[in-house]
Amino acid sequence: MADSAPPLRPFSSTAVLLPTGAEAADFDRYAIDGTGVPHFTLMENAGRSAALVLNHLFPEGPVVALVGAGNNGGDALVVLRNLAAWGRDVRGVLVADRTPPETVLHGWELPLVHDEGLSDDDAAWDLALSGAAVLVDGLLGTGLSGAPRERQARAIQAAGRSGAPVFSLDAPSGVDASTGAVPGATIHADVTVALGWPKLGCLLHPARAVTGRLIAVEIGFPDPGPDRFPARLITPSWAGGQRPVRALATHKNAVGSALIVAGGEGMAGAAVLAARAAIRAGAGYVRVASTASNRSILQEAVPDAVFVDRSDHPGLLDAVAAAGAIVVGPGMGTGEEAGSALRAILEAAGDRPVLLDADALTLSVDGGPPVGDWTRRGPTLVTPHPGEMARLTGSDADAVNAARIDSARSFAASTGAVTLLKGAPSVVAHPDGRLLVDAMGSSDLAAAGMGDVLSGVIGALLAQGLPPLSGAGAGLCWSGRSAVVAGKGAGLSPTDVIDGLPEAMAERGPGVTDLDFPFVLLDLDPPR
């Protein structure tokens, strides 16, 4: 662990909802038409909050805005008007045919030029944006479907040539706010201020790579209720609400008994990592069912755990009966003996939560019990990477990655299994449509054995009583935070993550931010 832990990030002051672009537009209409919130009140709140954030992050120099025809353009004009009132040098380029309404300008005469006068002259565009200390992107917002038209694309390209930092409103222009697709020219934002809540597409690649620092601000929307938006962002503050609580008077079985079925011939390491992770994540009693050849390795490497010979089916079934949750698959092999152990566990598991990972997933499509057999008997969580998901669905990894949300949700709905699809970002889908999106993962976690650690952590949380959706989300959060605190960068090892779990899980609070505004709901660093 690092001597001094880095600040707890991302900051989030409350639950972070993730509407798609379409869901956000529907809620805008509901807020205005259904509850009577005035349209220009929302725009005023959005623009003023964004202006305050901009003025904090970029306190000096001229501000130039690209102003589109829709609500996003109106928000940009409110930003300019507020900055002008505070004494900032501002100007705007109208990429629109209409004249800004007085209900937005409030009598302020802002220096504005129309893009028609710039035509397709790159030099004229470059001159219009020259000298900007920061560019405000108010072109397209969240309503994009397909590639930007030529007119908007020209403005986007000019912004890219300017070299100035870009401050996008709601979503970088050119990004699909629902899917994360970038079908054409797109703004590469340094900061994106989401209005109300971050849009789901901005958390998904390739859009995430052009969104930059993602800040969400509250703008006066009515309470959406618990069910309107099914997606949530996994943050430290969210994970803190899932943390298992031990009774003061308790014992090792009551605080979580986990069975880890892992490690075939030559794969003892997977069992070691999963078992160590389960112990560090709070399981009070860990049993490891592995091949007899791994007994001495496991007893030496994890003396805290009890070894079970998985070929001894009576002993294995006793371990199943004693378990509060079962993890099956890390490095266990895909031969007949492994398949036989799987079938025995399935018969004995009852309604205990089961996590299926790695080789258990391979066996589910190659002679072992299919995922549907597990979900029919009790709570089931599957944790495939894109290649494993491709095998489970008869697809390919590229197709899975291109539609991560749809892939996870479709598999969860069709099998009844909560589905944690690993990757960038990892997502957790419930069969009823609920979705969690990870905000803590990084490329540092791209190392062999990290999946075994994650399975052990989540298995321990299931054993301590968390349901699969919450356990998967919290496991992702605390594993990712442990990686950050380790501070090893690309040299991070699974053991580093295991060692840091107790500290990561003990952290409290919403995280930290340098934005001292009560309306800031989320402050998320750029991906790394």
Side-chain angles (χ1 to χ4, degrees):
M1 298 293 289
D3 292 336
S4 179
L8 181 59
R9 302 274 292 171
F11 166 85
S12 64
S13 63
T14 185
V16 180
L17 311 181
L18 296 176
T20 64
E23 287 170 343
D26 285 343
F27 192 72
D28 279 350
R29 288 188 288 272
Y30 163 74
I32 295 163
D33 300 331
T35 70
V37 179
H39 172 236
F40 286 108
T41 296
L42 293 173
M43 186 173 288
E44 185 69 24
N45 290 345
R48 186 173 180 84
S49 295
L52 285 164
V53 172
L54 184 151
N55 208 47
H56 176 84
L57 297 177
F58 305 97
E60 298 180 352
V63 179
V64 180
L66 297 171
V67 181
N71 289 337
N72 203 236
D75 297 333
L77 289 169
V78 176
V79 170
L80 290 184
R81 195 197 73 228
N82 277 281
L83 292 173
W86 303 336
R88 293 292 293 267
D89 179 4
V90 305
R91 63 186 191 273
V93 179
L94 293 172
V95 188
D97 296 326
R98 70 177 187 180
T99 300
E102 177 54 32
T103 46
V104 174
L105 295 180
H106 293 187
W108 286 82
E109 294 186 4
L110 302 178
L112 303 172
V113 298
H114 280 274
D115 68 326
E116 290 177 346
L118 307 176
S119 187
D120 58 356
D121 185 344
D122 286 353
W125 265 105
D126 294 346
L127 181 61
L129 304 185
S130 65
V134 58
L135 290 177
V136 175
D137 163 30
L139 280 172
L140 295 171
T142 61
L144 178 76
S145 178
R149 295 189 297 274
E150 182 179 355
R151 185 179 191 179
Q152 287 76 27
R154 190 179 300 121
I156 289 169
Q157 291 157 1
R161 292 194 304 270
S162 74
V166 179
F167 185 92
S168 286
L169 300 177
D170 228 5
S173 292
V175 160
D176 187 311
S178 295
T179 68
V182 179
T186 187
I187 288 286
H188 288 239
D190 295 271
V191 178
T192 297
V193 171
L195 308 175
W197 302 279
K199 308 312 177 282
L200 178 59
C202 290
L203 275 300
L204 308 176
H205 287 285
R208 184 69 189 99
V210 302
T211 298
R213 180 177 177 179
L214 180 57
I215 299 162
V217 297
E218 191 275 331
I219 65 171
F221 279 128
D223 183 356
D227 302 322
R228 182 177 289 271
F229 304 135
R232 301 284 188 278
L233 187 66
I234 299 170
T235 65
S237 114
W238 175 88
Q242 318 305 315
R243 186 179 289 106
V245 178
R246 290 189 175 194
L248 293 178
T250 189
H251 56 84
K252 60 180 181 264
N253 284 303
V255 297
S257 175
L259 171 62
I260 312 289
V261 185
E265 294 285 346
M267 293 295 290
V272 169
L273 292 173
R276 283 179 173 171
I279 292 164
R280 288 297 192 188
Y285 199 138
V286 175
R287 295 174 176 83
V288 183
S290 192
T291 59
S293 61
N294 289 334
R295 178 188 293 271
S296 62
I297 298 172
L298 283 161
Q299 290 182 330
E300 181 174 352
V302 198
D304 324 57
V306 172
F307 179 83
V308 176
D309 182 348
R310 77 177 190 215
S311 66
D312 173 14
H313 280 198
L316 178 61
L317 297 183
D318 286 344
V320 170
I326 306 166
V327 175
V328 191
M332 72 177 294
T334 56
E336 176 53 36
E337 187 273 333
S340 176
L342 269 183
R343 288 185 285 272
I345 294 166
L346 173 63
E347 290 298 319
D351 62 358
R352 295 169 181 81
V354 173
L355 184 157
L356 302 175
D357 183 33
D359 290 338
L361 297 176
T362 298
L363 283 165
S364 75
V365 293
D366 190 23
V371 172
D373 286 0
W374 295 91
T375 60
R376 279 189 285 274
R377 53 95 240 151
T380 304
L381 170 66
V382 296
T383 60
H385 57 58
E388 290 164 342
M389 180 62 92
R391 290 196 292 275
L392 289 168
T393 59
S395 180
D396 64 76
D398 288 342
V400 169
N401 273 325
R404 300 183 59 75
I405 302 299
D406 288 345
S407 295
R409 277 181 161 158
S410 176
F411 190 78
S414 64
T415 63
V418 172
T419 300
L420 191 170
L421 177 56
K422 301 170 187 173
S426 294
V427 299
V428 189
H430 192 278
D432 67 10
R434 283 178 289 163
L435 183 78
L436 299 176
V437 179
D438 185 29
M440 300 296 289
S442 78
S443 59
D444 295 344
L445 289 161
M450 292 297 185
D452 306 323
V453 171
L454 181 62
S455 289
V457 172
I458 297 172
L461 297 176
L462 299 180
Q464 293 171 80
L466 268 64
L469 184 71
S470 298
L476 283 168
C477 182
W478 291 324
S479 298
R481 175 59 182 171
S482 181
V484 170
V485 174
K488 300 295 179 62
L492 183 75
S493 77
T495 299
D496 296 324
V497 174
I498 293 169
D499 290 344
L501 283 168
E503 289 84 353
M505 294 176 68
E507 290 180 306
R508 297 291 192 274
V512 299
T513 178
D514 63 335
L515 300 170
D516 189 20
F517 303 116
F519 54 76
V520 172
L521 306 178
L522 171 73
D523 186 2
L524 174 63
D525 294 323
R528 57 182 184 83

